[in-house]
Amino acid sequence: MIVPGVTVRAADGGDAVAGVRPRWVALPETTEEIAAVLRVAADHDLAVVPVGGGTTLHWGPPPERCDLLIDTCCLNDVLEHVAGDLVVKVQAGVTLDALAGTLAAAGQRLALDAPGEGATVGGTLATGVAGPLRFRYGTARDLLIGITVVLADGTIARAGGKVVKNVAGYDLGKLFTGSYGTLGVITEATFRLHPLPADSRWVTTSSADPGVVGALAASPLEPAAIELDRSGPHGPVVLSILVEGVAAAERAKAVQDLMGGDAHIGEEPPTWWGRLPGDDLLLALRVLPAALEGTLHAVAAHAARLSLAPHVRGSAGTADLHVALPAESDPGKVAAFVAAVRDEIRPDGGRLIVLTAPSELDFWGGTGALGLMRSVKARFDPDRRMSPGRFVGGI
């Protein structure tokens, strides 16, 4: 494959996407070069998968086909940082860790937790993943104010902050966040920022009732994050609450008094803070906050019935959790567990998706918006060449 001015190499085994090996890997350095690559891909009907740091490339079902991998590693510049306006514009290949270092020098941060070492801006947007700070600051979709993307036919589109061109009234930022690369390639993003906190404290306990989460979330103590960790169906529910700001120490003491029991205050987070509970067989579970306690009971009950050992971790404040099962778990029992939990949480608006799994499972489950999502896919990628089959309903 030849694209003038763009480095293209033959793919190897390390470039496989969920087990599917592409033929080529393109290494463009600008939005315009990505557009050129996608025009060539369109001319030759090549299926394309974008990749950033590769930390979540194995999430989701494998693509139906993958001819070309577009690696954004060379799009790694911070294009503009307007500290006075709390705004930053970056290329998609910038890692969140590198961006954090740049912003910290100005006393600012992007309140978005990296899902793993080496995670990039583009990959984090594409998967829609968020960490502990989502409770106070929202997800990537909430912090994103502008985006540049390249569509399957090579069209460059921009929306949001510093608008140059929009596309038929679509909110590109919201559409592309969590789209798993099925609509096009994210090349640039503009975010709103927040000041770095003057101080931080973590209050951690293994004896609190999960029912206290609601009281904490609504309290004037203003926690920045409320995380939980539970290893095994019968293990204790460990809660850790982050408080930030000039009065963090005093507010942490008030949280400790509210939690009671063995609650203790630390200046560093627990070792598990912001980390996924596992990676070989990983599920994402989202319910309404009011349903958190019942959902934890349901997960434990179905796991115990099937002799499974789930590790649950995530935001208690937003009831956005990850559930990891041992890689050696019986595939039939895993499928039964997924189906049972889905049935239990569906009436309350809950949803469970499979992120990684060694066996064939229903990754996404049902969704009432599938017809609309297929229409959007047809609008942006009518020939189904962008990460085909990786999203809901085989989109």
Side-chain angles (χ1 to χ4, degrees), residues 21-25 44-49 65-69:
R21 179 172 171 173
R23 288 189 278 172
W24 301 285
V25 178
H44 297 278
D45 190 32
L46 302 179
V48 178
V49 175
R65 59 190 183 107
C66 179
D67 301 303
L68 173 65
L69 206 65

Side-chain angles (χ1 to χ4, degrees), residues 41-88:
D43 290 342
H44 297 278
D45 190 32
L46 302 179
V48 178
V49 175
V51 58
T55 55
T56 55
L57 189 61
H58 59 300
W59 285 15
E64 293 172 6
R65 59 190 183 107
C66 179
D67 301 303
L68 173 65
L69 206 65
I70 294 183
D71 192 334
T72 63
C73 64
C74 298
L75 280 80
N76 55 12
D77 288 334
V78 176
L79 300 173
E80 186 177 8
H81 177 205
V82 186
D85 292 338
L86 289 168
V87 170
V88 68

Side-chain angles (χ1 to χ4, degrees), residues 155-392:
T155 298
I156 298 173
R158 296 178 173 90
K162 304 182 185 298
V163 171
V164 176
K165 177 184 178 184
N166 212 329
V167 177
Y170 289 103
D171 186 333
L172 291 185
K174 286 184 169 56
L175 282 178
F176 274 73
T177 301
S179 64
Y180 278 71
T182 57
L183 298 178
V185 183
I186 299 169
T187 64
E188 297 173 6
T190 304
F191 296 98
R192 61 187 177 96
L193 306 174
H194 291 85
L196 279 172
D199 193 10
S200 301
R201 293 288 192 278
W202 285 262
V203 184
T204 305
T205 177
S206 59
S207 62
D209 185 333
V212 77
V213 170
L216 274 171
S219 77
L221 298 172
E222 296 183 332
I226 306 172
E227 294 287 295
L228 70 81
D229 182 67
R230 186 182 201 181
S231 180
H234 306 297
V237 177
V238 179
L239 287 178
S240 188
I241 297 89
L242 168 64
V243 290
E244 298 178 327
V246 292
E250 292 79 1
R251 286 164 44 231
K253 182 63 172 64
V255 170
Q256 182 185 37
D257 293 341
L258 178 64
M259 301 298 288
D262 64 352
H264 62 277
I265 301 172
E267 296 184 8
E268 298 292 333
T271 56
W272 51 266
W273 183 270
R275 298 178 181 272
L276 294 170
D279 194 45
D280 292 320
L281 213 169
L282 184 64
L283 319 174
L285 192 160
R286 302 180 180 105
V287 297
L288 294 174
L292 174 66
E293 191 170 4
T295 298
L296 291 175
H297 286 308
V299 168
H302 291 300
R305 175 175 59 85
L306 294 164
S307 300
L308 294 173
H311 193 151
V312 182
R313 182 180 294 164
S315 175
T318 61
D320 191 342
L321 309 172
H322 287 100
V323 182
L325 295 168
E328 65 274 11
S329 300
D330 179 84
K333 290 183 177 181
V334 172
F337 174 79
V338 168
V341 175
R342 278 176 176 160
D343 288 343
E344 185 122 359
I345 66 177
R346 188 178 296 115
D348 293 323
R351 189 170 182 214
L352 184 152
I353 64 174
V354 178
L355 296 178
T356 64
S359 59
E360 289 297 326
L361 288 175
D362 178 0
F363 274 72
W364 297 99
T367 174
L370 185 56
L372 175 60
M373 296 168 76
R374 284 178 171 158
S375 296
V376 172
K377 172 70 171 178
R379 169 67 178 84
F380 283 83
D381 181 24
D383 298 321
R384 299 189 74 254
R385 290 185 296 98
M386 296 302 306
S387 303
R390 299 218 77 190
F391 202 41
V392 182

Side-chain angles (χ1 to χ4, degrees), residues 78-164:
V78 176
L79 300 173
E80 186 177 8
H81 177 205
V82 186
D85 292 338
L86 289 168
V87 170
V88 68
K89 181 179 181 181
V90 299
Q91 291 183 309
V94 172
T95 66
L96 290 179
D97 290 337
L99 178 58
T102 298
L103 298 177
Q108 296 178 350
R109 69 176 176 182
L110 173 60
L112 189 63
D113 307 280
E117 186 177 352
T120 62
V121 165
T124 302
L125 287 172
T127 55
V129 67
L133 291 176
R134 84 195 89 183
F135 174 70
R136 182 169 183 181
Y137 298 100
T139 65
R141 179 176 298 186
D142 302 302
L143 297 169
L144 184 70
I145 59 174
I147 193 169
T148 299
V149 301
V150 183
L151 307 183
D153 62 359
T155 298
I156 298 173
R158 296 178 173 90
K162 304 182 185 298
V163 171
V164 176

